[in-house]
Amino acid sequence: MSIRSGSNLSNPLVSMQHIYKTFNPDSVSEVTVFRDFNLDILRGQFVSVVGSNGSGKTTMQNLICGSILADQGRIYLDGTPIDRMKEYQRARRIGRVFQDPSRGTCPELTILENMALAENKGKAFGLRLGVNRQRIDDYRTQLEDLKLGLEDKVNVPVGGLSGGQRQALALLIATMTPIDLLILDEHTAALDPNASATVMELTDRIVKEKQLTALMVTHNLKFAVQYGNRLLMMHQGCAVIDAAYEKKDSLQINDLLDQFNEISLEVGN
């Protein structure tokens, strides 16, 4: 069973066009992930991406963020080609939250210092100058919105926080400055169930309140079905399910499990 949905893609925020990507070419470990892969994401879409290991979901995010480069093809962000931009250049317009919160925060620095650094992303500034009393009050207000008590821990090193608190802070930091796209890279995978649920609820609220476009890779089928307005299931570099809006709303976890089982049978697992 394949489920697909059409949508108006005349003005996508993200456009991946004719993407080819092979790892370790001309070696015994050569793996081709994408052959002429195309994807458009409309402004305001919250896309959940699921799929087995090696299906292309993480490679897709890495290509958009610039962690790796495509062998062929073009990638556009709001009409601007970004496929040859450096990763740090793309980071000015793309926020990313990783599975490991230490990749989005500085564990040895305090919450306050992390927020000051995030707010001044791309600017030259002295840390002492950036952390002033007026900003501290604003940072506390933003932390209060997380409803995790972090506003009372602004001078605590981030490495001393719980996993859920650190991911919530990483999410806040990734969206403190205006961005075009939020990348969520299995950002609940390392958390316990309660913390995962809390971070997902916070993610959904931030995406809606800030009217963000988001691309979330997850292994949690419940979250993939529950959150967002578009769902992709990747397999061997292709989207075998692409359901948006009403079609996405009608999806059930069993629909995804049925497709997973069909894929497994096709590849002989």
Side-chain angles (χ1 to χ4, degrees):
M1 176 189 71
S2 285
I3 304 170
R4 295 187 179 275
S5 68
S7 58
N8 179 12
L9 298 175
S10 59
N11 188 30
L13 176 69
V14 178
S15 184
M16 304 180 73
Q17 299 180 7
H18 308 294
I19 300 297
Y20 290 78
K21 183 60 186 177
T22 296
F23 292 96
N24 307 311
D26 302 320
S27 73
V28 293
S29 55
E30 176 178 309
V31 176
T32 297
V33 179
F34 289 130
R35 295 184 181 87
D36 198 22
F37 176 72
N38 297 275
L39 176 69
D40 289 304
I41 301 173
L42 295 180
R43 186 179 298 277
Q45 285 189 328
F46 182 169
V47 186
S48 298
V49 185
V50 297
S52 58
N53 292 334
S55 62
K57 56 188 188 299
T58 300
T59 299
M60 178 200 311
Q61 288 189 330
N62 286 334
L63 287 167
I64 292 172
C65 291
S67 305
I68 58 175
L69 298 179
D71 300 327
Q72 298 180 50
R74 303 305 307 268
I75 302 173
Y76 297 87
L77 182 62
D78 201 18
T80 300
I82 62 170
D83 44 275
R84 289 297 176 258
M85 283 185 181
K86 300 292 186 182
E87 187 172 9
Y88 75 88
Q89 295 173 311
R90 303 189 206 190
R92 295 168 184 161
R93 303 178 64 185
I94 300 173
R96 189 170 189 176
V97 184
F98 297 90
Q99 178 177 337
D100 180 0
S102 66
R103 296 186 64 183
T105 59
C106 298
E108 69 277 8
L109 298 182
T110 67
I111 292 177
L112 189 64
E113 291 166 339
N114 270 272
M115 295 181 73
L117 285 171
E119 190 173 48
N120 288 275
K121 181 172 66 175
K123 304 175 185 176
F125 78 108
L127 186 60
R128 205 174 274 184
L129 179 62
V131 183
N132 58 55
R133 176 55 56 183
Q134 182 179 357
R135 302 310 303 138
I136 291 174
D137 292 340
D138 183 61
Y139 295 157
R140 286 186 188 275
T141 299
Q142 293 184 58
L143 291 167
E144 285 176 359
D145 289 341
L146 301 181
K147 304 186 188 311
L148 294 172
L150 294 180
E151 65 275 11
D152 298 323
K153 299 182 178 181
V154 292
N155 294 313
V156 173
V158 170
L161 303 179
S162 69
Q165 289 174 325
R166 291 175 70 182
Q167 280 300 64
L169 180 63
L171 182 62
L172 176 60
I173 282 174
T175 58
M176 281 184 69
T177 56
I179 56 173
D180 293 302
L181 178 66
L182 176 63
I183 296 287
L184 302 165
D185 189 359
E186 298 188 50
H187 70 308
T188 65
L191 306 178
D192 63 59
N194 287 335
S196 294
T198 298
V199 170
M200 271 310 311
E201 290 171 4
L202 178 62
T203 300
D204 189 54
R205 178 158 59 87
I206 287 177
V207 167
K208 289 176 178 175
E209 288 178 354
K210 298 192 176 186
Q211 299 181 325
L212 299 174
T213 303
L215 181 64
M216 176 178 75
V217 166
T218 180
H219 285 288
N220 190 311
L221 298 185
K222 178 182 176 182
F223 289 162
V225 168
Q226 182 177 356
Y227 294 100
N229 51 27
R230 184 177 177 189
L231 185 145
L232 301 178
M233 178 182 284
M234 298 297 297
H235 176 60
Q236 295 182 347
C238 298
V240 295
I241 292 178
D242 185 351
Y245 305 115
E246 292 84 0
K247 290 190 176 182
K248 195 269 184 183
D249 291 340
S250 69
L251 280 177
Q252 304 293 324
I253 292 177
N254 284 340
D255 297 325
L256 303 185
L257 290 173
D258 289 343
Q259 183 69 72
F260 267 126
N261 290 335
E262 182 177 323
I263 291 169
S264 296
L265 288 172
E266 288 175 355
V267 299
N269 291 338

